[in-house]
Amino acid sequence: MSDTTVATTEELDKYRRELTGYCYRMLGSSFEAEDAVQDTMVRAWKAIDSFEGRSSLRSWLYRIATNVCLDALSAGNRRARPMDLSGPTPVAQAQLVKQPEITWLEPIPDGRVMPGAGDPAETAMGRETVRLAFVAALQHLAPRQRAVLILREVLAWKASEVAELLDTSVASVNSALQRARAAIAAQAPAESDAADPLDEEQQALLERYVAAFEGYDMEALTALLHEDATMSMPPFDLWLQGHENIVGWMLGVGDVCRGSRLVPTVANGSPAFAHYHPDPEGGYSPWALIVLELRDGKVAGMDFFLDTPRWFPLFELPERLEA
């Protein structure tokens, strides 16, 4: 590999993380986002000799990435959370029904999409706009509206820059942005507390959550949950809301989680835990990736992503815990 090729590859790789964040917001899938970025890099590397420099390298890469994402979205698949598809189920009627994997919005490690040390305001915006609730709301937008909203509102591009990228007019960009804002407002994604870094109160809340969960103390756990807290378990379409239903599930079907262990991580700009289940052969085996939503000093949501062979390697989590 020549020095020029190495230099070109290094220049392109500088944008990999932010492009992954962009593609993740567009596609709602961590794996599809990484595939889209890899496709973008391959296309860019092959076409680098034709890059005329009329725009910045960054803008050129975003143009390629946008086209890759729009092509991927042409099939019309929209990723969702269980609460986007139906109302909550009373625990007495709760049944675990799997839906096709492609239905579900996927979690993503912060390290794959969040920049390193930088402007605090940009970092806060980055975390807020990869939250599960926000990315789920984006999935309700038409693909080009989605691109406009992300480029204008999240990445702070000028309308003229977005118009050039999409080969359209400034008026069309402004119109698409207005419609996208209205659609997002209609979805009303739930707000959550900033958690970068965790303050002392949030850290104490998470410590109490771990103690309550590992001790399977439902009274203590209930005290940490908002009255309207939600619990979901993709790839199952079931979701529960409220203390009675969540605790009823935990003490019923969910009682198999008694004696589990939690290992902290981060996902989607939110606190998360790797959930390990007691293994009959000893130690603990992977059970779920739990992503929490915090609001006003309590837990507002718990999303249990159960496909651990998919998620634990992505989050670089241990394959098992010893006793």
Side-chain angles (χ1 to χ4, degrees):
M1 184 178 292
S2 69
D3 290 344
T4 302
T5 301
V6 171
T8 301
T9 302
E10 289 178 350
E11 281 294 309
L12 295 177
D13 275 341
K14 289 179 182 178
Y15 300 98
R16 184 177 292 273
R17 186 178 296 183
E18 65 174 281
L19 286 171
T20 303
Y22 174 62
C23 293
Y24 174 71
R25 294 177 180 97
M26 286 288 290
L27 302 173
S29 162
S30 44
F31 293 97
E32 287 184 7
E34 295 201 344
D35 287 346
V37 173
Q38 188 59 30
D39 191 0
T40 297
M41 293 299 180
V42 170
R43 294 189 192 188
W45 191 84
K46 289 181 177 179
I48 194 68
D49 289 341
S50 64
F51 175 57
E52 299 176 354
R54 286 181 293 183
S55 61
S56 68
L57 179 62
R58 180 173 182 258
S59 297
W60 185 60
L61 288 172
Y62 269 92
R63 176 190 286 269
I64 298 172
T66 299
N67 288 331
V68 170
C69 289
L70 293 178
D71 288 345
L73 293 167
S74 62
N77 293 324
R78 174 174 69 86
R79 290 188 174 267
R81 305 169 78 188
M83 48 278 289
D84 297 322
L85 305 179
S86 67
T89 303
V91 69
Q93 303 170 18
Q95 294 182 335
L96 293 176
V97 179
K98 279 190 176 182
Q99 295 290 346
E101 179 274 329
I102 197 168
T103 300
W104 303 118
L105 183 69
E106 297 179 350
I108 195 164
D110 280 18
R112 300 293 180 103
V113 294
M114 296 300 301
D119 180 78
E122 291 183 7
T123 301
M125 173 63 79
R127 288 186 179 277
E128 180 65 19
T129 57
V130 293
R131 288 191 307 111
L132 290 170
F134 184 82
V135 178
L138 287 175
Q139 306 306 300
H140 291 270
L141 303 179
R144 286 176 70 87
Q145 284 184 9
R146 204 179 303 178
V148 168
L149 183 78
I150 297 167
L151 290 166
R152 291 282 285 120
E153 301 279 80
V154 179
L155 302 177
W157 284 39
K158 297 177 182 178
S160 58
E161 294 172 328
V162 178
E164 181 179 356
L165 182 147
L166 293 174
D167 291 323
T168 189
S169 66
V170 170
S172 294
V173 168
N174 289 335
S175 176
L177 179 60
Q178 186 175 8
R179 294 195 303 273
R181 283 171 173 167
I184 289 290
Q187 294 303 317
E191 295 183 358
S192 65
D193 294 344
D196 178 35
L198 294 167
D199 61 29
E200 290 185 9
E201 182 180 352
Q202 291 169 329
Q203 189 62 52
L205 171 64
L206 295 182
E207 289 172 0
R208 293 197 300 274
Y209 179 86
V210 170
F213 195 99
E214 292 187 346
Y216 229 67
D217 183 340
M218 292 300 108
E219 183 177 353
L221 182 64
T222 299
L224 305 177
L225 302 177
H226 279 282
E227 290 186 5
D228 62 349
T230 61
M231 177 179 174
S232 72
M233 291 161 279
F236 300 107
D237 60 4
L238 172 71
W239 69 283
L240 306 164
Q241 185 170 42
H243 293 170
E244 181 179 347
N245 291 305
I246 291 174
V247 170
W249 177 268
M250 298 285 281
L251 293 177
V253 175
D255 195 64
V256 294
C257 293
R258 191 183 294 272
S260 294
R261 294 291 178 264
L262 301 184
V263 175
T265 183
V266 287
N268 294 81
S270 303
F273 292 96
H275 173 189
Y276 291 87
H277 185 269
D279 191 322
E281 297 182 3
Y284 301 87
S285 55
W287 187 260
L289 174 74
I290 309 174
V291 182
L292 299 183
E293 297 174 19
L294 307 184
R295 187 181 75 244
D296 300 329
K298 287 191 173 184
V299 176
M302 301 182 290
D303 293 293
F304 289 70
F305 292 92
L306 301 178
D307 190 359
T308 55
R310 190 173 177 84
W311 305 125
F312 277 42
L314 179 68
F315 282 77
E316 300 179 355
L317 293 164
E319 293 183 3
R320 60 181 290 106
L321 298 181
E322 298 305 321

